[in-house]
Amino acid sequence: MIATEAAARQAERIIAARTKAKITHSLIYIAVLAVAIWCFKTTIIDDTDWARIGSVANVLESIGEFLEVDWGLAANLWEPALETIMVATLGTLLGVVVCVPAIWFGALNITPYAPVTYPLARLMMTLSRSIHEIVWGLFFVAAVGLGALAGVLALAVRSVGFIAKMSSEAIEDLDPKPVEAIRAVGGSEFKVFIYAILPQVLPTMIGVIIFEWEINIRRSSILGLVGAGGLGLVFFRQLNTFNYPGVTTTILAILVLILFGELVSFYVRKAII
Amino acid sequence: MAVRATTQTRSGAKSTPPREWQRLKFPESLYNWGGLLLALVFLCYSIIYLNIPLERVSNMFGRVGTLITERYYPPEIDYVLEPDYLSSVFDTIQMAYLGALFGMMMAVPLGWFGAYNMTPSRRFVYPLARLIAMSTRAVHETIWAILFVTILGFGMMAGVLALTMFCIGFAGKLFAEEIEAIDMGQVEALRSTGASELSVMVYAVFPQVRVAFTGIGIYTWDVAFRAATVVGFFGAGGMGWYLKRNVLQIETHRVSAILLSIIVLVLISEAVSAWARARMAKAK
């Protein structure tokens, strides 16, 4: 008797918990949907100049302008593409150099003075990640003038956040035994770093850096919009001269470049790790 | 030396000759140093090719310092508290929300088709889904914004669509990876009862990835918000337009105030997304 009663009570409890979860889930779904409908109304229905868009045929027509490819432009895209890759590479390398102090300060187990240096490193990482590369590009164009240097600096600063975050997390997770072993035989702090810490985190770091390089190709392909050269500048020029097939060619070139970057990063990571 | 000598005398036979220990052996060392040398040559060549004025790098820090202290320093905080700007911030949040939502709605089938273990056809659908995910992600969100502004005119619709395109690739790739990591036992169980592919998806795959998908969704919104702060730069609505206007008018104090507001908003959105993901992982 008692056993069945207990079982019944437990079953009731389970059913009650399930109904409660169901109600919460439906409420969340309804809230998501309601906010979506409201956002749809304010952003898309109210804020769009429907007269400017016209009929569906007009939209299709303007999309159709992009569907041609201007092959004549393709031969002129080698140099900007090379420039884009170079800016990405230099930016990533400079980012690695810049992020060394951020990694050092940002890993809780090796940070010199945790109450001050750890928040400082976190601030550096957040600042680098939260500001968009376009904004960094504008800032550095104002500081060092038009040209590739501004793009390199913008990418370097923008890369710091990701590289430093992943690397310092890798350092926090490392095995402390080699560190103790090197200390026990009397190795200096520098030797501890070279022989105990670096070999453990190097594969992760190289993977992260190559991944960041791949992302930086994508970023450097648009830095031309703010005056840092490369494929972005070609894109901007083609658009401003209303040569829509040329715009399509440039976008295709960017796609090919990024595919190339992804392939290189895939094989290099496979070779190293 | 002494140890080896005794072993040799004890065993009597001559073992392999002692090898000099080296950190890198012959072919590997050549590849390593050669690769490093090539990288260095490429580096120097690209500095020359890009015409980077190295003499400007040395005095750059001073210039950036004076730039910040003299031109950007007192940020005009009043400007970002004006109702006009605040409403644009609100627009940005709405745009990111809608873009992430639409993007995810389209990313769910894309994730299904692009997951190697569940895709309906490995030869045709799988590469196509991968290609779509790759190319929507590869084209930068600002390029999408410019394209949509060219086609549809200024306004938030262009921004929402640009963010949608960006989120399709971003969420689609993560969704596909999540589906590839599921337990195939339940899939086989449903297949053995003769369930259709859609039922398998709904009853065997989806319950396994629901929590992960929600987490990815929140993260996508977070990333979309960061992208949404600048799509307005090219006329696609939101606070980016204010940024562009003030940059062009060289209202540097206002620009620094806007940048500060972006940093604060990104911090808030990051905190909210981390909180929501932790909360959801607990409720699982």
Side-chain angles (χ1 to χ4, degrees):
Chain A
M1 247 349 240
I2 295 165
T4 47
E5 237 172 58
R9 228 178 293 135
Q10 200 180 359
E12 252 171 42
R13 248 203 323 272
I14 291 172
I15 291 170
R18 275 195 193 164
T19 0
K20 202 182 150 204
K22 234 177 218 170
I23 291 172
T24 339
H25 283 168
S26 349
L27 279 181
I28 290 174
Y29 288 137
I30 291 171
V32 166
L33 198 70
V35 173
I37 291 170
W38 173 61
C39 289
F40 191 79
K41 192 189 169 296
T42 50
T43 61
I44 293 192
I45 297 177
D46 294 353
D47 195 61
T48 306
D49 187 0
W50 293 103
R52 146 84 170 76
I53 294 174
S55 63
V56 178
N58 290 2
V59 174
L60 288 180
E61 198 185 319
S62 36
I63 291 175
E65 287 177 337
F66 284 98
L67 290 182
E68 273 174 72
V69 178
D70 183 2
W71 295 111
L73 190 69
N76 300 332
L77 287 177
W78 284 109
E79 280 183 24
L82 190 65
E83 239 171 69
T84 301
I85 287 202
M86 282 173 172
V87 168
T89 314
L90 287 181
T92 315
L93 286 177
L94 192 64
V96 172
V97 175
V98 174
C99 81
V100 167
I103 296 172
W104 180 31
F105 285 1
L108 260 181
N109 49 353
I110 57 164
T111 188
Y113 180 62
V116 177
T117 48
Y118 183 70
L120 198 71
R122 287 276 140 181
L123 184 76
M124 266 172 87
M125 294 178 205
T126 316
L127 209 64
S128 137
R129 272 184 309 142
S130 59
I131 298 181
H132 200 270
E133 50 267 25
I134 292 267
V135 180
W136 279 124
L138 282 169
F139 180 77
F140 283 112
V141 164
V144 299
L146 293 171
L149 181 60
V152 170
L153 291 172
L155 287 184
V157 173
R158 176 79 165 151
S159 315
V160 166
F162 184 70
I163 300 179
K165 187 161 185 263
M166 301 309 270
S167 307
S168 55
E169 270 167 18
I171 288 183
E172 279 174 6
D173 285 343
L174 60 74
D175 183 7
K177 279 177 195 140
V179 178
E180 278 166 28
I182 304 273
R183 283 219 178 109
V185 298
S188 63
E189 279 301 304
F190 181 69
K191 290 220 163 129
V192 167
F193 183 73
I194 294 283
Y195 292 109
I197 296 178
L198 210 56
Q200 288 194 55
V201 294
L202 204 58
T204 323
M205 269 185 74
I206 290 177
V208 168
I209 290 166
I210 290 168
F211 186 63
E212 187 68 26
W213 175 72
E214 192 190 316
I215 300 175
N216 274 343
I217 293 181
R218 178 172 176 267
R219 287 179 184 151
S220 73
S221 68
I222 54 121
L223 277 175
L225 296 174
V226 290
L231 280 172
L233 191 63
V234 181
F235 175 83
F236 201 48
R237 275 194 204 136
Q238 296 296 322
L239 198 75
N240 278 355
T241 50
F242 303 106
N243 184 13
Y244 294 125
V247 172
T248 313
T249 318
T250 318
I251 291 176
L252 284 179
I254 292 175
L255 276 180
V256 170
L257 204 64
I258 285 163
L259 196 66
F260 164 76
E262 250 176 52
L263 283 177
V264 169
S265 112
F266 178 76
Y267 283 110
V268 170
R269 265 188 290 177
K270 218 168 79 174
I272 284 174
I273 299 166
Chain B
M1 277 311 272
V3 177
R4 201 168 56 234
T6 47
T7 40
Q8 264 180 13
T9 45
R10 204 187 301 154
S11 61
K14 217 176 177 212
S15 55
T16 48
R19 251 187 346 163
E20 192 82 11
W21 186 85
Q22 275 172 322
R23 193 148 168 268
L24 295 167
K25 282 172 220 75
F26 165 62
E28 284 87 1
S29 66
L30 194 67
Y31 295 150
N32 280 0
W33 290 116
L36 215 60
L37 195 70
L38 269 182
L40 213 64
V41 167
F42 179 72
L43 199 72
C44 296
Y45 179 67
S46 46
I47 288 176
I48 294 164
Y49 184 85
L50 291 175
N51 239 339
I52 288 181
L54 284 177
E55 71 278 1
R56 249 193 243 173
V57 176
S58 53
N59 62 10
M60 182 197 79
F61 294 100
R63 285 170 65 120
V64 169
T66 44
L67 196 72
I68 290 174
T69 49
E70 281 175 16
R71 281 211 255 153
Y72 287 90
Y73 168 57
E76 203 179 316
I77 299 290
D78 291 342
Y79 183 73
V80 293
L81 297 176
E82 275 173 26
D84 278 358
Y85 182 74
L86 288 181
S87 86
S88 83
V89 170
F90 209 62
D91 289 345
T92 311
I93 296 173
Q94 288 183 327
M95 260 165 40
Y97 182 79
L98 268 191
L101 202 69
F102 288 164
M104 270 182 300
M105 267 155 48
M106 283 185 241
V108 169
L110 198 69
W112 173 16
F113 295 152
Y116 194 68
N117 52 351
M118 290 307 299
T119 183
S121 144
R122 281 186 189 174
R123 200 170 300 161
F124 303 109
V125 181
Y126 172 76
L128 191 71
R130 282 274 149 155
L131 187 73
I132 292 174
M134 205 279 291
S135 47
T136 48
R137 201 158 33 94
V139 176
H140 201 271
E141 62 263 20
T142 51
I143 290 183
W144 282 124
I146 295 170
L147 286 182
F148 282 118
V149 166
T150 317
I151 293 171
L152 299 170
F154 296 111
M156 280 192 267
M157 184 150 87
V160 170
L161 287 174
L163 292 174
T164 306
M165 295 308 272
F166 169 65
C167 291
I168 288 175
F170 186 80
K173 182 174 180 256
L174 293 174
F175 281 177
E177 275 166 10
E178 205 59 54
I179 290 179
E180 275 171 2
I182 60 163
D183 176 14
M184 288 301 279
Q186 302 168 34
V187 176
E188 276 164 31
L190 251 82
R191 279 211 181 121
S192 66
T193 62
S196 69
E197 276 299 301
L198 192 68
S199 317
V200 169
M201 202 61 206
V202 172
Y203 293 106
V205 177
F206 213 64
Q208 291 191 52
V209 293
R210 210 187 56 194
V211 174
F213 272 25
T214 321
I216 292 170
I218 297 169
Y219 184 54
T220 308
W221 174 78
D222 186 11
V223 174
F225 178 73
R226 263 180 246 175
T229 54
V230 289
V231 289
F233 214 87
F234 305 99
M239 55 214 271
W241 177 243
Y242 284 83
L243 188 60
K244 174 155 198 178
R245 213 171 63 187
N246 287 306
V247 164
L248 289 184
Q249 292 172 347
I250 324 187
E251 292 269 11
T252 43
H253 302 296
R254 288 181 177 176
V255 170
S256 58
I258 292 175
L259 287 185
L260 276 181
S261 76
I262 290 179
I263 293 170
V264 169
L265 285 166
V266 168
L267 279 179
I268 292 174
S269 85
E270 237 171 58
V272 168
S273 116
W275 171 80
R277 274 180 289 165
R279 178 75 216 279
M280 206 190 50
K282 213 167 65 185
K284 178 170 72 170

